[in-house]
Amino acid sequence: MESCQMSGEVAPPMSGTCGCSLNGDMYIFGGCNDNGQTNQLYCVNLLDGKYSWRKVNHKSGSSPSPRDKRTCWVFNGSVVPLTPELPVQVQHFGTKDTYVEAE
């Protein structure tokens, strides 16, 4: 098994994060640590060979609320989290409330 060194602004240790891949980038959202739940989003490019993490800042609209133990996926070029309490209502990170959109 090959091991790769990660660098950059690595997310703090957390449990209950969700993650997905969009255009070669892996995104990690939310989770819980000693300070409680978070709504932070981190990204690492898995194709460039650098494996440098970066924190993704919210671009527009309302930031998603802090959460953990959620799931997310990619839909129409956007990272989409699912809120288990409201499984019919989906909040997009790529439409009006933008975190990530495919370029």
Side-chain angles (χ1 to χ4, degrees):
M1 181 187 318
E2 185 179 339
S3 175
C4 300
Q5 289 289 80
M6 303 296 247
S7 63
E9 191 174 359
V10 179
M14 292 182 281
S15 66
T17 61
C18 69
C20 62
S21 179
L22 174 63
N23 297 334
D25 290 322
M26 180 173 67
Y27 292 90
I28 303 295
F29 171 74
C32 187
N33 60 24
D34 292 341
N35 298 320
Q37 295 177 329
T38 181
N39 65 348
Q40 295 176 354
L41 180 68
Y42 291 85
C43 174
V44 62
N45 186 296
L46 300 175
L47 303 177
D48 66 5
K50 297 177 184 176
Y51 307 109
S52 180
W53 284 93
R54 64 184 170 86
K55 184 175 179 181
V56 179
N57 295 314
H58 190 69
K59 291 182 181 177
S60 65
S62 301
S63 295
S65 61
R67 57 188 78 180
D68 69 325
K69 298 175 189 70
R70 305 302 199 248
T71 187
C72 59
W73 65 94
V74 173
F75 178 74
N76 285 339
S78 300
V79 177
V80 181
L82 175 66
T83 304
E85 296 84 7
L86 304 168
V88 177
Q89 181 179 352
V90 176
Q91 298 176 5
H92 290 259
F93 292 165
T95 55
K96 186 181 77 164
D97 296 333
T98 302
Y99 246 116
V100 177
E101 289 182 354
E103 294 182 9

